[in-house]
Amino acid sequence: MRLVLLGPPGCGKGTQAKRLQEIFGIIQLSTGDMLRAEAAAASETGRKAAAIMQAGQLVPDAMIIGLIEVRVDQPDCRNGFILDGFPRTLAQAEALDAMLAARHLDLDRVVAIEVDDEDIVTRIAGRFSCSRCGALYHDVFHRPKQDGKCDVCGATEFTRRPDDTAETVRKRLQAYHVQTVPIIEYYRRKGLLRCVDGAGAIAEITEKLKVAIREGTRVD
Ligand code: AP5
């Protein structure tokens, strides 16, 4: 099964993708995580991407398409994948179609998670993650069960993203509305789109996503 999760920064794509990969047995491919890994490794791509991400803008289409094209051919994608953060422009959506067509594959479902801009700022301001395994938490909405200890791997170090400042979040939201919202219509016209209200408890949203994904989905 091949899925795309769409939605504004901080709507819960990463949180939900991690839960859905357990449920459906397919891997999460987060372009944001890939770029942060490149930045941490100080590769040429990473150095270029870090400055763009910090400014709240999208990295060039060619850079991100190249990363995804290599990634989807790896063995852990054989059963399918959940794209989290890609595509984000019409050019990327078209490149994804071409990439899949060249491999005789289809997209099964695109789900847009809807959250108001005001709630986005609150969610992003409180976000932190486990430094070791990347599990996502929130200061108010999703704290580790034991303070200071990751529920998933037990690590005690946590990090906050450098692009999670109020100023950068506003720019990321602007980029979302101008560059990414048009692809919602692109997928609606293809009949692949389902929309899910992203307000509410994390587990409730997972249930709604399961329904949206299974509705009319082919079973391979
Ligand atoms: P990326 O890492 O993809 O960031 P994003 O899309 O801005 O999304 P986020 O990761 O910020 O949020 P999310 O929707 O995953 O929410 P989360 O689950 O963490 O991209 C970063 C940058 O990389 C981009 O700005 C761009 O520069 C570049 N980039 C990446 N892909 C690109 C592409 N394809 N093309 C060009 N450039 C690209 O949740 C947020 C918080 O809310 C967490 O603390 C969580 O615990 C909490 N939360 C989750 N669900 C709920 C809930 N239901 N109620 C309350 N709190 C909740």
Side-chain angles (χ1 to χ4, degrees), residues 58-119:
L58 297 186
V59 306
D61 288 332
M63 179 190 285
I64 208 80
I65 291 165
L67 285 177
I68 284 286
E69 184 130 41
V70 170
R71 190 65 187 82
V72 297
D73 286 333
Q74 290 177 12
D76 58 356
C77 292
R78 204 173 294 131
N79 288 338
F81 43 76
I82 305 166
L83 289 168
D84 159 12
F86 178 90
R88 260 172 146 108
T89 62
L90 273 175
Q92 291 179 22
E94 286 164 0
L96 176 62
D97 284 350
M99 212 183 284
L100 293 176
R103 291 161 177 77
H104 307 289
L105 299 173
D106 289 317
L107 261 187
D108 293 281
R109 182 65 70 221
V110 176
V111 187
I113 304 176
E114 299 172 329
V115 177
D116 292 340
D117 285 7
E118 310 86 78
D119 294 335

Short mmCIF file of all heavy atoms in Angstrom, two decimals, residues 58-119:
data_model
loop_
_atom_site.label_atom_id
_atom_site.label_comp_id
_atom_site.label_asym_id
_atom_site.label_seq_id
_atom_site.Cartn_x
_atom_site.Cartn_y
_atom_site.Cartn_z
N LEU A 58 10.62 26.09 1.20
CA LEU A 58 10.76 24.73 0.68
C LEU A 58 12.09 24.59 -0.04
O LEU A 58 12.52 25.52 -0.76
CB LEU A 58 9.62 24.41 -0.29
CG LEU A 58 8.20 24.41 0.27
CD1 LEU A 58 7.22 23.94 -0.79
CD2 LEU A 58 8.08 23.54 1.52
N VAL A 59 12.73 23.45 0.10
CA VAL A 59 13.98 23.21 -0.65
C VAL A 59 13.60 22.98 -2.12
O VAL A 59 12.45 22.68 -2.44
CB VAL A 59 14.78 22.01 -0.07
CG1 VAL A 59 15.03 22.19 1.41
CG2 VAL A 59 14.08 20.69 -0.35
N PRO A 60 14.56 23.12 -3.07
CA PRO A 60 14.23 22.96 -4.49
C PRO A 60 13.63 21.59 -4.79
O PRO A 60 14.05 20.58 -4.21
CB PRO A 60 15.58 23.14 -5.19
CG PRO A 60 16.44 23.86 -4.21
CD PRO A 60 15.98 23.46 -2.85
N ASP A 61 12.68 21.58 -5.71
CA ASP A 61 12.02 20.31 -6.09
C ASP A 61 13.03 19.24 -6.47
O ASP A 61 12.91 18.08 -6.06
CB ASP A 61 11.06 20.55 -7.28
CG ASP A 61 9.82 21.35 -6.87
OD1 ASP A 61 9.43 21.25 -5.69
OD2 ASP A 61 9.26 22.05 -7.72
N ALA A 62 14.03 19.61 -7.28
CA ALA A 62 14.97 18.59 -7.80
C ALA A 62 15.69 17.89 -6.65
O ALA A 62 15.94 16.68 -6.70
CB ALA A 62 15.97 19.24 -8.75
N MET A 63 16.01 18.65 -5.59
CA MET A 63 16.74 18.07 -4.46
C MET A 63 15.89 16.99 -3.78
O MET A 63 16.34 15.88 -3.51
CB MET A 63 17.10 19.18 -3.45
CG MET A 63 17.84 18.70 -2.23
SD MET A 63 18.00 19.97 -0.95
CE MET A 63 19.26 21.02 -1.61
N ILE A 64 14.64 17.33 -3.53
CA ILE A 64 13.79 16.42 -2.76
C ILE A 64 13.34 15.23 -3.62
O ILE A 64 13.26 14.10 -3.14
CB ILE A 64 12.59 17.21 -2.15
CG1 ILE A 64 12.15 16.55 -0.87
CG2 ILE A 64 11.45 17.40 -3.08
CD1 ILE A 64 12.98 16.88 0.28
N ILE A 65 13.09 15.48 -4.88
CA ILE A 65 12.68 14.38 -5.79
C ILE A 65 13.83 13.37 -5.89
O ILE A 65 13.61 12.16 -5.85
CB ILE A 65 12.28 14.96 -7.17
CG1 ILE A 65 10.97 15.75 -7.03
CG2 ILE A 65 12.13 13.84 -8.21
CD1 ILE A 65 10.66 16.66 -8.22
N GLY A 66 15.06 13.87 -5.97
CA GLY A 66 16.23 12.98 -6.05
C GLY A 66 16.32 12.09 -4.81
O GLY A 66 16.58 10.89 -4.90
N LEU A 67 16.08 12.68 -3.62
CA LEU A 67 16.16 11.90 -2.37
C LEU A 67 15.09 10.80 -2.36
O LEU A 67 15.36 9.65 -1.99
CB LEU A 67 15.97 12.81 -1.15
CG LEU A 67 17.12 13.72 -0.74
CD1 LEU A 67 16.71 14.58 0.46
CD2 LEU A 67 18.35 12.90 -0.37
N ILE A 68 13.88 11.17 -2.74
CA ILE A 68 12.77 10.20 -2.70
C ILE A 68 12.96 9.10 -3.73
O ILE A 68 12.71 7.92 -3.47
CB ILE A 68 11.41 10.93 -2.93
CG1 ILE A 68 11.00 11.66 -1.66
CG2 ILE A 68 10.31 9.98 -3.38
CD1 ILE A 68 10.48 10.75 -0.54
N GLU A 69 13.43 9.48 -4.90
CA GLU A 69 13.60 8.50 -5.98
C GLU A 69 14.57 7.38 -5.55
O GLU A 69 14.33 6.21 -5.82
CB GLU A 69 14.11 9.19 -7.24
CG GLU A 69 14.21 8.26 -8.42
CD GLU A 69 13.54 8.82 -9.67
OE1 GLU A 69 13.70 10.02 -9.92
OE2 GLU A 69 12.88 8.03 -10.38
N VAL A 70 15.62 7.75 -4.85
CA VAL A 70 16.58 6.74 -4.37
C VAL A 70 15.93 5.90 -3.25
O VAL A 70 16.05 4.68 -3.21
CB VAL A 70 17.85 7.44 -3.83
CG1 VAL A 70 18.75 6.47 -3.09
CG2 VAL A 70 18.61 8.11 -4.97
N ARG A 71 15.17 6.59 -2.40
CA ARG A 71 14.63 5.92 -1.21
C ARG A 71 13.58 4.86 -1.54
O ARG A 71 13.55 3.79 -0.92
CB ARG A 71 14.03 7.01 -0.29
CG ARG A 71 13.63 6.54 1.09
CD ARG A 71 14.82 6.10 1.90
NE ARG A 71 14.42 5.50 3.16
CZ ARG A 71 14.04 4.22 3.31
NH1 ARG A 71 14.02 3.41 2.26
NH2 ARG A 71 13.69 3.75 4.47
N VAL A 72 12.69 5.14 -2.52
CA VAL A 72 11.59 4.20 -2.78
C VAL A 72 12.08 2.88 -3.38
O VAL A 72 11.34 1.90 -3.40
CB VAL A 72 10.47 4.79 -3.70
CG1 VAL A 72 9.81 5.98 -3.05
CG2 VAL A 72 10.99 5.13 -5.08
N ASP A 73 13.33 2.86 -3.86
CA ASP A 73 13.86 1.61 -4.43
C ASP A 73 14.52 0.73 -3.37
O ASP A 73 15.00 -0.37 -3.68
CB ASP A 73 14.87 1.92 -5.54
CG ASP A 73 14.16 2.40 -6.80
OD1 ASP A 73 12.99 2.02 -6.99
OD2 ASP A 73 14.76 3.17 -7.57
N GLN A 74 14.57 1.19 -2.12
CA GLN A 74 15.23 0.39 -1.09
C GLN A 74 14.31 -0.75 -0.62
O GLN A 74 13.08 -0.64 -0.71
CB GLN A 74 15.70 1.29 0.05
CG GLN A 74 16.86 2.16 -0.45
CD GLN A 74 17.37 3.15 0.56
OE1 GLN A 74 17.03 3.11 1.73
NE2 GLN A 74 18.19 4.07 0.08
N PRO A 75 14.90 -1.87 -0.17
CA PRO A 75 14.10 -3.07 0.12
C PRO A 75 12.98 -2.85 1.14
O PRO A 75 11.93 -3.48 1.04
CB PRO A 75 15.13 -4.06 0.69
CG PRO A 75 16.46 -3.55 0.26
CD PRO A 75 16.34 -2.08 0.02
N ASP A 76 13.16 -1.93 2.10
CA ASP A 76 12.12 -1.75 3.12
C ASP A 76 10.87 -1.05 2.57
O ASP A 76 9.88 -0.88 3.28
CB ASP A 76 12.66 -1.01 4.36
CG ASP A 76 13.24 0.36 4.03
OD1 ASP A 76 13.31 0.72 2.83
OD2 ASP A 76 13.62 1.08 4.98
N CYS A 77 10.92 -0.63 1.30
CA CYS A 77 9.73 -0.01 0.67
C CYS A 77 8.95 -1.02 -0.17
O CYS A 77 7.97 -0.65 -0.81
CB CYS A 77 10.15 1.16 -0.22
SG CYS A 77 10.80 2.55 0.73
N ARG A 78 9.41 -2.27 -0.17
CA ARG A 78 8.80 -3.26 -1.06
C ARG A 78 7.30 -3.43 -0.79
O ARG A 78 6.51 -3.58 -1.70
CB ARG A 78 9.53 -4.60 -0.92
CG ARG A 78 9.39 -5.47 -2.16
CD ARG A 78 10.24 -6.72 -2.08
NE ARG A 78 11.66 -6.44 -2.10
CZ ARG A 78 12.55 -6.95 -1.24
NH1 ARG A 78 12.16 -7.77 -0.29
NH2 ARG A 78 13.83 -6.66 -1.34
N ASN A 79 6.90 -3.40 0.50
CA ASN A 79 5.47 -3.57 0.82
C ASN A 79 4.67 -2.28 0.67
O ASN A 79 3.47 -2.29 0.82
CB ASN A 79 5.30 -4.02 2.29
CG ASN A 79 5.74 -5.45 2.47
OD1 ASN A 79 5.79 -6.21 1.50
ND2 ASN A 79 6.09 -5.80 3.70
N GLY A 80 5.37 -1.19 0.45
CA GLY A 80 4.70 0.10 0.34
C GLY A 80 5.31 1.11 1.29
O GLY A 80 6.30 0.82 1.97
N PHE A 81 4.71 2.31 1.33
CA PHE A 81 5.27 3.38 2.18
C PHE A 81 4.22 4.45 2.45
O PHE A 81 3.20 4.53 1.76
CB PHE A 81 6.50 4.00 1.52
CG PHE A 81 6.37 4.26 0.04
CD1 PHE A 81 5.63 5.33 -0.43
CD2 PHE A 81 6.97 3.40 -0.88
CE1 PHE A 81 5.50 5.56 -1.79
CE2 PHE A 81 6.84 3.62 -2.25
CZ PHE A 81 6.10 4.71 -2.70
N ILE A 82 4.50 5.22 3.49
CA ILE A 82 3.67 6.38 3.83
C ILE A 82 4.52 7.61 3.60
O ILE A 82 5.53 7.82 4.30
CB ILE A 82 3.26 6.35 5.33
CG1 ILE A 82 2.58 5.04 5.68
CG2 ILE A 82 2.38 7.55 5.66
CD1 ILE A 82 2.47 4.80 7.19
N LEU A 83 4.18 8.41 2.61
CA LEU A 83 4.94 9.62 2.35
C LEU A 83 4.45 10.72 3.29
O LEU A 83 3.27 11.07 3.30
CB LEU A 83 4.78 10.04 0.88
CG LEU A 83 5.49 9.12 -0.11
CD1 LEU A 83 5.03 9.42 -1.53
CD2 LEU A 83 7.00 9.27 0.01
N ASP A 84 5.37 11.25 4.08
CA ASP A 84 5.07 12.28 5.08
C ASP A 84 5.90 13.51 4.73
O ASP A 84 7.11 13.52 4.92
CB ASP A 84 5.44 11.68 6.46
CG ASP A 84 5.67 12.73 7.55
OD1 ASP A 84 5.33 13.90 7.34
OD2 ASP A 84 6.20 12.34 8.61
N GLY A 85 5.22 14.52 4.16
CA GLY A 85 5.95 15.75 3.79
C GLY A 85 6.33 15.80 2.32
O GLY A 85 7.01 16.73 1.89
N PHE A 86 5.89 14.85 1.55
CA PHE A 86 6.14 14.79 0.11
C PHE A 86 4.94 14.13 -0.54
O PHE A 86 4.48 13.11 -0.02
CB PHE A 86 7.40 13.97 -0.19
CG PHE A 86 7.70 13.84 -1.67
CD1 PHE A 86 8.50 14.77 -2.31
CD2 PHE A 86 7.17 12.80 -2.41
CE1 PHE A 86 8.77 14.65 -3.67
CE2 PHE A 86 7.43 12.69 -3.77
CZ PHE A 86 8.24 13.62 -4.40
N PRO A 87 4.41 14.66 -1.66
CA PRO A 87 4.84 15.87 -2.35
C PRO A 87 4.31 17.14 -1.67
O PRO A 87 3.34 17.08 -0.91
CB PRO A 87 4.23 15.69 -3.74
CG PRO A 87 3.00 14.87 -3.50
CD PRO A 87 3.32 13.95 -2.36
N ARG A 88 4.97 18.24 -1.98
CA ARG A 88 4.58 19.53 -1.40
C ARG A 88 4.36 20.61 -2.45
O ARG A 88 4.04 21.74 -2.10
CB ARG A 88 5.71 20.01 -0.49
CG ARG A 88 5.48 19.75 0.97
CD ARG A 88 6.77 20.10 1.66
NE ARG A 88 6.55 20.65 2.95
CZ ARG A 88 6.83 19.98 4.07
NH1 ARG A 88 7.27 18.76 4.02
NH2 ARG A 88 6.65 20.57 5.22
N THR A 89 4.60 20.27 -3.71
CA THR A 89 4.34 21.21 -4.82
C THR A 89 3.74 20.38 -5.97
O THR A 89 3.87 19.14 -5.98
CB THR A 89 5.65 21.85 -5.35
OG1 THR A 89 6.49 20.81 -5.87
CG2 THR A 89 6.40 22.61 -4.27
N LEU A 90 3.12 21.08 -6.91
CA LEU A 90 2.56 20.36 -8.06
C LEU A 90 3.66 19.63 -8.82
O LEU A 90 3.46 18.50 -9.27
CB LEU A 90 1.85 21.35 -8.99
CG LEU A 90 0.38 21.62 -8.66
CD1 LEU A 90 -0.17 22.70 -9.58
CD2 LEU A 90 -0.47 20.36 -8.74
N ALA A 91 4.83 20.26 -8.95
CA ALA A 91 5.94 19.61 -9.67
C ALA A 91 6.33 18.31 -8.96
O ALA A 91 6.62 17.30 -9.61
CB ALA A 91 7.13 20.56 -9.76
N GLN A 92 6.32 18.32 -7.63
CA GLN A 92 6.66 17.09 -6.90
C GLN A 92 5.58 16.03 -7.07
O GLN A 92 5.88 14.83 -7.19
CB GLN A 92 6.85 17.40 -5.41
CG GLN A 92 8.08 18.25 -5.11
CD GLN A 92 8.24 18.55 -3.62
OE1 GLN A 92 7.71 17.85 -2.77
NE2 GLN A 92 8.98 19.61 -3.31
N ALA A 93 4.31 16.46 -7.09
CA ALA A 93 3.21 15.49 -7.27
C ALA A 93 3.33 14.83 -8.64
O ALA A 93 3.15 13.61 -8.78
CB ALA A 93 1.86 16.18 -7.10
N GLU A 94 3.64 15.63 -9.65
CA GLU A 94 3.78 15.08 -11.00
C GLU A 94 5.00 14.16 -11.08
O GLU A 94 4.97 13.11 -11.73
CB GLU A 94 3.87 16.22 -12.02
CG GLU A 94 2.51 16.88 -12.22
CD GLU A 94 2.57 18.25 -12.91
OE1 GLU A 94 3.69 18.70 -13.24
OE2 GLU A 94 1.51 18.86 -13.08
N ALA A 95 6.07 14.55 -10.41
CA ALA A 95 7.28 13.70 -10.41
C ALA A 95 7.00 12.38 -9.70
O ALA A 95 7.48 11.32 -10.13
CB ALA A 95 8.43 14.43 -9.71
N LEU A 96 6.20 12.43 -8.63
CA LEU A 96 5.84 11.18 -7.94
C LEU A 96 5.04 10.27 -8.86
O LEU A 96 5.29 9.06 -8.93
CB LEU A 96 5.05 11.50 -6.66
CG LEU A 96 4.53 10.29 -5.88
CD1 LEU A 96 5.66 9.40 -5.39
CD2 LEU A 96 3.65 10.73 -4.71
N ASP A 97 4.08 10.84 -9.58
CA ASP A 97 3.30 10.03 -10.53
C ASP A 97 4.23 9.35 -11.54
O ASP A 97 4.07 8.16 -11.83
CB ASP A 97 2.30 10.92 -11.30
CG ASP A 97 1.11 11.30 -10.44
OD1 ASP A 97 0.96 10.72 -9.35
OD2 ASP A 97 0.34 12.18 -10.86
N ALA A 98 5.18 10.12 -12.08
CA ALA A 98 6.09 9.58 -13.09
C ALA A 98 6.97 8.48 -12.50
O ALA A 98 7.21 7.44 -13.11
CB ALA A 98 6.95 10.70 -13.68
N MET A 99 7.44 8.73 -11.27
CA MET A 99 8.31 7.78 -10.56
C MET A 99 7.57 6.45 -10.36
O MET A 99 8.12 5.37 -10.59
CB MET A 99 8.58 8.41 -9.18
CG MET A 99 9.88 8.12 -8.56
SD MET A 99 9.91 8.91 -6.91
CE MET A 99 10.15 10.63 -7.25
N LEU A 100 6.31 6.53 -9.92
CA LEU A 100 5.53 5.31 -9.67
C LEU A 100 5.19 4.62 -10.99
O LEU A 100 5.30 3.39 -11.10
CB LEU A 100 4.26 5.65 -8.88
CG LEU A 100 4.49 6.14 -7.44
CD1 LEU A 100 3.18 6.55 -6.79
CD2 LEU A 100 5.19 5.08 -6.60
N ALA A 101 4.80 5.42 -12.00
CA ALA A 101 4.43 4.82 -13.30
C ALA A 101 5.63 4.05 -13.87
O ALA A 101 5.46 2.96 -14.41
CB ALA A 101 3.98 5.91 -14.26
N ALA A 102 6.83 4.60 -13.72
CA ALA A 102 8.03 3.93 -14.25
C ALA A 102 8.26 2.60 -13.57
O ALA A 102 8.94 1.72 -14.11
CB ALA A 102 9.25 4.83 -14.08
N ARG A 103 7.72 2.44 -12.37
CA ARG A 103 7.89 1.19 -11.62
C ARG A 103 6.61 0.34 -11.64
O ARG A 103 6.49 -0.62 -10.88
CB ARG A 103 8.28 1.52 -10.16
CG ARG A 103 9.67 2.12 -10.05
CD ARG A 103 9.90 2.86 -8.74
NE ARG A 103 11.26 3.35 -8.64
CZ ARG A 103 11.74 4.44 -9.27
NH1 ARG A 103 10.93 5.16 -10.05
NH2 ARG A 103 12.99 4.82 -9.12
N HIS A 104 5.63 0.74 -12.46
CA HIS A 104 4.33 0.05 -12.57
C HIS A 104 3.63 -0.03 -11.21
O HIS A 104 3.09 -1.05 -10.82
CB HIS A 104 4.50 -1.36 -13.17
CG HIS A 104 5.25 -1.34 -14.46
ND1 HIS A 104 4.73 -0.83 -15.63
CD2 HIS A 104 6.52 -1.70 -14.76
CE1 HIS A 104 5.62 -0.90 -16.59
NE2 HIS A 104 6.73 -1.42 -16.08
N LEU A 105 3.69 1.07 -10.48
CA LEU A 105 3.05 1.14 -9.16
C LEU A 105 2.01 2.27 -9.17
O LEU A 105 2.07 3.18 -10.01
CB LEU A 105 4.09 1.44 -8.07
CG LEU A 105 5.22 0.42 -7.90
CD1 LEU A 105 6.26 0.94 -6.91
CD2 LEU A 105 4.67 -0.92 -7.43
N ASP A 106 1.06 2.21 -8.20
CA ASP A 106 0.04 3.26 -8.05
C ASP A 106 0.07 3.81 -6.63
O ASP A 106 0.53 3.14 -5.72
CB ASP A 106 -1.37 2.67 -8.24
CG ASP A 106 -1.63 2.28 -9.67
OD1 ASP A 106 -1.26 3.06 -10.56
OD2 ASP A 106 -2.19 1.17 -9.88
N LEU A 107 -0.53 4.98 -6.50
CA LEU A 107 -0.82 5.49 -5.16
C LEU A 107 -2.19 4.95 -4.76
O LEU A 107 -3.10 4.92 -5.59
CB LEU A 107 -0.94 7.01 -5.20
CG LEU A 107 0.24 7.88 -4.80
CD1 LEU A 107 -0.22 9.33 -4.77
CD2 LEU A 107 0.84 7.47 -3.48
N ASP A 108 -2.34 4.52 -3.51
CA ASP A 108 -3.63 3.99 -3.08
C ASP A 108 -4.52 5.06 -2.46
O ASP A 108 -5.74 5.03 -2.62
CB ASP A 108 -3.42 2.88 -2.05
CG ASP A 108 -2.76 1.68 -2.70
OD1 ASP A 108 -3.49 0.93 -3.37
OD2 ASP A 108 -1.54 1.54 -2.61
N ARG A 109 -3.92 5.97 -1.70
CA ARG A 109 -4.74 6.95 -0.99
C ARG A 109 -3.90 8.17 -0.63
O ARG A 109 -2.71 8.04 -0.31
CB ARG A 109 -5.30 6.31 0.30
CG ARG A 109 -6.19 7.16 1.14
CD ARG A 109 -7.48 7.54 0.47
NE ARG A 109 -8.38 6.41 0.31
CZ ARG A 109 -9.12 6.20 -0.81
NH1 ARG A 109 -9.04 7.01 -1.83
NH2 ARG A 109 -9.93 5.17 -0.86
N VAL A 110 -4.56 9.34 -0.67
CA VAL A 110 -3.94 10.58 -0.19
C VAL A 110 -4.87 11.11 0.89
O VAL A 110 -6.07 11.29 0.65
CB VAL A 110 -3.81 11.61 -1.33
CG1 VAL A 110 -3.27 12.94 -0.80
CG2 VAL A 110 -2.91 11.07 -2.44
N VAL A 111 -4.35 11.32 2.09
CA VAL A 111 -5.20 11.83 3.17
C VAL A 111 -4.67 13.18 3.62
O VAL A 111 -3.49 13.32 3.97
CB VAL A 111 -5.25 10.86 4.38
CG1 VAL A 111 -6.28 11.36 5.39
CG2 VAL A 111 -5.61 9.45 3.93
N ALA A 112 -5.57 14.16 3.60
CA ALA A 112 -5.22 15.51 4.08
C ALA A 112 -5.71 15.65 5.52
O ALA A 112 -6.89 15.46 5.80
CB ALA A 112 -5.86 16.56 3.19
N ILE A 113 -4.78 15.99 6.42
CA ILE A 113 -5.14 16.20 7.83
C ILE A 113 -5.36 17.71 8.02
O ILE A 113 -4.46 18.51 7.76
CB ILE A 113 -4.03 15.70 8.78
CG1 ILE A 113 -3.71 14.22 8.51
CG2 ILE A 113 -4.42 15.91 10.24
CD1 ILE A 113 -2.55 13.67 9.35
N GLU A 114 -6.58 18.07 8.47
CA GLU A 114 -6.94 19.49 8.52
C GLU A 114 -6.86 20.03 9.96
O GLU A 114 -7.50 19.49 10.86
CB GLU A 114 -8.37 19.67 7.99
CG GLU A 114 -8.50 19.21 6.55
CD GLU A 114 -9.94 19.18 6.05
OE1 GLU A 114 -10.86 18.94 6.86
OE2 GLU A 114 -10.13 19.40 4.85
N VAL A 115 -6.06 21.07 10.13
CA VAL A 115 -5.94 21.74 11.45
C VAL A 115 -5.84 23.25 11.19
O VAL A 115 -5.16 23.68 10.26
CB VAL A 115 -4.68 21.24 12.21
CG1 VAL A 115 -4.52 21.99 13.53
CG2 VAL A 115 -4.75 19.73 12.48
N ASP A 116 -6.54 24.05 12.03
CA ASP A 116 -6.51 25.52 11.87
C ASP A 116 -5.12 26.07 12.14
O ASP A 116 -4.39 25.55 13.00
CB ASP A 116 -7.46 26.18 12.89
CG ASP A 116 -8.90 25.88 12.56
OD1 ASP A 116 -9.18 25.52 11.41
OD2 ASP A 116 -9.73 25.99 13.49
N ASP A 117 -4.80 27.19 11.47
CA ASP A 117 -3.48 27.81 11.63
C ASP A 117 -3.17 28.17 13.10
O ASP A 117 -2.05 28.02 13.55
CB ASP A 117 -3.38 29.08 10.77
CG ASP A 117 -3.19 28.74 9.28
OD1 ASP A 117 -3.28 27.54 8.92
OD2 ASP A 117 -2.98 29.68 8.49
N GLU A 118 -4.19 28.64 13.86
CA GLU A 118 -3.92 29.03 15.25
C GLU A 118 -3.47 27.82 16.08
O GLU A 118 -2.58 27.92 16.93
CB GLU A 118 -5.16 29.65 15.95
CG GLU A 118 -5.88 30.74 15.19
CD GLU A 118 -6.91 30.18 14.22
OE1 GLU A 118 -7.99 29.79 14.68
OE2 GLU A 118 -6.61 30.10 13.01
N ASP A 119 -4.12 26.68 15.84
CA ASP A 119 -3.75 25.47 16.60
C ASP A 119 -2.36 24.97 16.20
O ASP A 119 -1.65 24.38 17.01
CB ASP A 119 -4.78 24.35 16.36
CG ASP A 119 -6.13 24.72 16.93
OD1 ASP A 119 -6.16 25.54 17.86
OD2 ASP A 119 -7.15 24.22 16.44
#
